Every structure is written in structure tokens, then in C-alpha cells.
Amino acid sequence: MKSEFLQQLELKYPIFQAPTGSLAGPELAAAVSNAGGMGALALTWTNPEDATRLIQEVRSQCDRLFQVNFVLAFPPKSLTSALDAGVKIVTFSWGDPSPYLSQVRAAGAYVGMQVTNVAGARRAIELGVDFVICQGVEAGGHVQSTSPLWKILPQILQVVGDIPAIAAGGISTGKSIAQALSMGAAGVLLGTRFVATQESRAHLVYKQRLTEAKADEAVLTVCFDGGWAYAAHRVLRNSTLDTWEAFGCPPSGKRPGEGDVVATTASGQIIRRYEDLTPRVDMSGNLLDMCLYAGKGCEEINDIPNVADLLARLWAECETALI
Ligand SMILES: Cc1cc2nc3c(=O)[nH]c(=O)nc-3n(C[C@H](O)[C@H](O)[C@H](O)COP(=O)(O)O)c2cc1C
């Protein structure tokens, strides 16, 4: 392990789970941390009371560290309740965390910041964050980056020096973990690979679709903009995206099938075409017409293992590749 910081986290593997929206429930975060990686909760859109409950649920299943994430394109409405609940690692993406740093520091928590270019890395150093997450454009979900990971990572590593950099975007094999580590990354962060695990809250049809997908089906678009307009995201091709493109990518209000209800949740919440929600285990309907976030590494995802087996396998593959 590269740094004192990562040693303090007591990780068995330098593998972080990405905060993958509502697919990353407490079961997934706890499973990753229990198995020796770094679990994550995505709290951007979570109310303070729910954030406290989710954190307690992770704690009830796991006594190891885990991280919580806030996308700063939105106000971090549950940051205070997360810190009050004793969270020790907070990551910020899509924005400048400076307004929140003193609060996080006062609570004794570490800060990570997603960076996607050299200017962002310089800003992270200026702010004195504890680690950076270097996202490449191959990433699944909302993609802040515009550069391939293997191109931007060396540039960011050069800027951050001794500050640990965690590589993210399109990583789903031990071989690509080995590549990131041998380039100088302190660890890796995987999103799509953990969506296709037993413990994720993704619906089985979505997990299965990930196991069949080819890399060129995971495309960057602004199609599924409900909830977060015009932020680029990488998703698997499906009928919603294909039809929207066939109509010339019209703006909101003029899109084909815009009012269609594509799915409902168990509690009766309606999900319309173009919303940015992904198929969860509690949803039913035409789930494969929904937003299917996926990184370019989906091509190498061929199974739906449990997290402990996955981490052990990834690390064994990584060690073999490093020899
Ligand atoms: C389903 C899904 C949801 C995501 N939600 C978030 C989020 O809430 N906050 C965030 O910073 N990144 C989010 N991301 C992006 C991840 O942080 C990370 O950059 C990405 O998963 C890495 O690429 P990979 O999916 O190819 O491993 C999400 C990614 C996926 C696949």
C-alpha cells in the first residue's frame, strides 16, 4: 500500500466500491468493507433521516470503515447527519468541496475528491484533500471525465505526488487493477463491476444484461436526463436510447414516448421513460427500457458473484498480472 493514509484504512485490498446511487445499499457497502475493500453509500439524493438510517444499517452489518459520497451538482443535504452519525470518509464529486471542508475536518473525517484533469488535481492539492479519485471517461453512471483513464492517470499522479490517487473508470478485472497499481495508483474504484454482484440492489435483469454486454454498447449520452439535466452519463444501449437517437436526439418535451410509464416500485412510485433511475430489485415493468448505467468494463463482466468471492478473485488475478 502506497501511503500511510491507506494503511490507516486497514484495507485487505486497495479496492474501493463506487457510490452507485440507490443500487449501493447498506448490504453492498457492508459486504465490500467486511471482505477487506472499501464500501460506499451514495447519499446525494438521500434525506438526512434516511442517511442516518442507512449508515446505521451498514454499521449493524460491519464494524469496518466505509465512505459516503456527495455529488456537488446538488446541495449535500445529508452531510451533517452523515458526520453526526460518525462517518469517517467523505468523498465529493462534480464540484469544489471547499465550502464543506472545515465541517468534515472538524468531524475528524477524511476527504476524497473526484478529479478528472490536471486543473482539478491542482485544486485538490490546494485544498489539502486526503486522496483523489481519478475518473476516466470509460466510467459508468454520470461521467465527469472527458479523458481515457490510462491517459489522464499518469498526468494526475504527477500533479498529486504523495497524495494517494484512486483510479476509476472501466475497471472490472484483476489485470486492469494491476495496470492502475503499476502506474502508481494507490488503489482502484469499481462501480459497474459491483452492480453485478449478489449484494447490489440492482434488479436481476439488469445484472444479467451487464453480463452479456459488449464494451461498444456502453455509450456516453445525455438521454436519461430526468433528475439531472444534461450531465453526461454512460449507459447500455436499449430501445429508449435507440429510439431517441433515431428521432434526432430531441430536447425534453419533444422526445418519443416521453410520458410512458416504464416501471413502478413496490411502493407504487411511477418511473417514466428518460428518468435517471436504474432498475432496482423492488421495481417491475419494462426494466430494460430504463437507464442502464454501465462502464466500458462491462464486456469483462461475465457473472454475478458474491462480493467476498469477487474481491478474492480480482486480487488473485491482480497478483498474477503483477508477477
Ligand atoms: C449505477 C451507477 C451509479 C453511480 N452513482 C454515482 C454517484 O452517486 N456519485 C458519484 O460520484 N459517482 C457515481 N457513479 C460513478 C462512479 O463513482 C465511478 O466513477 C464509476 O462507477 C467508475 O466506472 P465503472 O462503473 O466503469 O467502474 C455511478 C456509477 C454507476 C455505474
Side-chain angles (χ1 to χ4, degrees), residues 48 61 67 90 93 99 101 182 195 245 255 265 285 287 298 316 320:
Q61 299 169 54
Q67 43 159 345
V90 180
S93 45
L101 288 183
S182 46
V195 172
E245 287 182 350
R255 298 177 292 190
T265 65
L287 301 178
C298 59
T320 306

Side-chain angles (χ1 to χ4, degrees), residues 101 105 111 122-131 163:
L101 288 183
R105 295 266 185 243
V111 181
R122 291 210 176 102
R123 180 68 181 145
I125 298 302
E126 242 172 58
L127 294 175
V129 302
D130 298 295
F131 64 106
I163 307 292

